[in-house]
Amino acid sequence: MLVLGIALLFSLVSFYVTRSNLLSSGLYPVEDSLVQAGYTKTKDGYTKKESDLTTLIKWNKKTREFDKNHYRFKVDKETTFLSKDFVDKESLETLINGQLSNQFGFVHYTKAKKKDWLKDSPRLVAHAGGAIREKEYNTFYTNSLEALQQNYSLGHRLFEMDFYLTSDKKLAAVHDWHQFGNKDDVALSSDEWKKFKAYGSPETPSRFTTMLIGDVLDQMVINKDMVLITDTKSM
């Protein structure tokens, strides 16, 4: 019984020392870090509801990246300890819009202040949400959800978006109605715009998800380090 107790104590000490060393080296446990940040583990990944929006984070160990509502976050370093995945602290902090710290071998989360979010971000502005890059071609001025997702995943944090009034006086994320609507310079209604499939310039076979200004702000709830620069096209 004494030998068993000593073995158990040795195992616990070894576990604590190894985990503390991982944390000290800047590798943090994925599950503990996300739970500390307010996420709940489910069969699909990790979820959190905020402002009536549900954020879902999935970890893909094979590709070494997180998927956060289709925004991609590559990690720099990762390892596994006792079937638990650990990734570098900086990647996790970008993912959860906060700061992580090691307190006696346990993970602690602190919500980041806005001045910290852009500290190491590129200062290039992604105009109209940024270019959509595909194998055969690039297209621009889509002001689409896909443009935000793709360019945020590439590291952009400053997004210029064009806004034009719909026929029922809502702000649509569109450069103009002459080139990017029905090509007749007549404004669509907000309902028509939400059902519309956007395209860019040059026009390609691909179609993209349209947004009203509220949809853009929803993306800023998901990723709190996004900065919006408005370019309103109507008074």
Side-chain angles (χ1 to χ4, degrees), residues 27 58-67 72-79 86-88 91:
L27 289 169
K58 298 179 182 180
W59 162 238
N60 189 325
K61 185 177 176 64
K62 186 176 181 180
T63 61
R64 295 177 55 164
E65 69 178 7
F66 291 98
D67 180 311
R72 308 286 180 177
F73 296 79
K74 280 281 188 183
V75 305
D76 293 325
K77 300 176 183 177
E78 58 88 19
T79 191
F86 286 68
V87 304
D88 62 284
S91 296

Side-chain angles (χ1 to χ4, degrees), residues 54-106:
T54 298
T55 301
L56 171 63
I57 294 178
K58 298 179 182 180
W59 162 238
N60 189 325
K61 185 177 176 64
K62 186 176 181 180
T63 61
R64 295 177 55 164
E65 69 178 7
F66 291 98
D67 180 311
K68 180 184 181 185
N69 286 36
H70 303 298
Y71 293 90
R72 308 286 180 177
F73 296 79
K74 280 281 188 183
V75 305
D76 293 325
K77 300 176 183 177
E78 58 88 19
T79 191
T80 302
F81 172 58
L82 294 181
S83 301
K84 296 286 187 179
D85 292 320
F86 286 68
V87 304
D88 62 284
K89 175 174 176 277
E90 292 76 14
S91 296
L92 279 170
E93 288 180 332
T94 301
L95 175 72
I96 61 179
N97 302 131
Q99 296 172 326
L100 297 171
S101 58
N102 172 12
Q103 295 189 347
F104 306 107
F106 297 94

Side-chain angles (χ1 to χ4, degrees), residues 14-196:
S14 297
F15 167 82
Y16 179 79
V17 170
T18 303
R19 178 186 165 91
S20 295
N21 287 339
L22 285 170
L23 289 168
S24 298
S25 71
L27 289 169
Y28 276 56
V30 171
E31 182 175 339
D32 290 3
S33 300
L34 292 178
V35 169
Q36 275 290 309
Y39 288 85
T40 300
K41 187 176 182 180
T42 68
K43 60 183 179 64
D44 297 319
Y46 300 86
T47 63
K48 180 167 72 171
K49 190 169 184 179
E50 186 177 8
S51 301
D52 295 324
L53 286 170
T54 298
T55 301
L56 171 63
I57 294 178
K58 298 179 182 180
W59 162 238
N60 189 325
K61 185 177 176 64
K62 186 176 181 180
T63 61
R64 295 177 55 164
E65 69 178 7
F66 291 98
D67 180 311
K68 180 184 181 185
N69 286 36
H70 303 298
Y71 293 90
R72 308 286 180 177
F73 296 79
K74 280 281 188 183
V75 305
D76 293 325
K77 300 176 183 177
E78 58 88 19
T79 191
T80 302
F81 172 58
L82 294 181
S83 301
K84 296 286 187 179
D85 292 320
F86 286 68
V87 304
D88 62 284
K89 175 174 176 277
E90 292 76 14
S91 296
L92 279 170
E93 288 180 332
T94 301
L95 175 72
I96 61 179
N97 302 131
Q99 296 172 326
L100 297 171
S101 58
N102 172 12
Q103 295 189 347
F104 306 107
F106 297 94
V107 176
H108 180 70
Y109 168 81
T110 305
K111 186 180 291 186
K113 297 178 181 178
K114 188 162 188 175
K115 65 182 179 64
D116 296 323
W117 298 340
L118 292 175
K119 184 174 64 175
D120 300 316
S121 299
R123 292 300 191 266
L124 294 175
V125 177
H127 284 266
I132 296 285
R133 298 163 180 83
E134 300 188 289
K135 289 182 180 179
E136 298 84 6
Y137 45 73
N138 292 345
T139 188
F140 307 86
Y141 291 99
T142 67
N143 285 285
S144 65
L145 176 60
E146 288 81 4
L148 291 182
Q149 291 170 339
Q150 185 175 116
N151 288 284
Y152 183 95
S153 300
L154 290 171
H156 290 282
R157 295 297 182 266
L158 308 179
F159 294 90
E160 182 264 2
M161 299 288 286
D162 303 300
F163 292 99
Y164 219 108
L165 284 175
T166 62
S167 62
D168 53 340
K169 309 304 180 186
K170 304 292 177 63
L171 278 175
V174 62
H175 187 273
D176 60 79
W177 296 117
H178 174 70
Q179 186 175 359
F180 298 98
N182 285 327
K183 301 184 180 180
D184 56 5
D185 207 21
V186 176
L188 298 176
S189 71
S190 55
D191 286 342
E192 289 171 334
W193 180 240
K194 287 290 288 182
K195 296 173 184 176
F196 194 81

Side-chain angles (χ1 to χ4, degrees), residues 207-220:
R207 293 293 181 264
F208 308 105
T209 305
T210 55
M211 294 186 290
L212 299 171
I213 191 169
D215 302 308
V216 178
L217 298 178
D218 284 346
Q219 302 309 302
M220 298 176 72

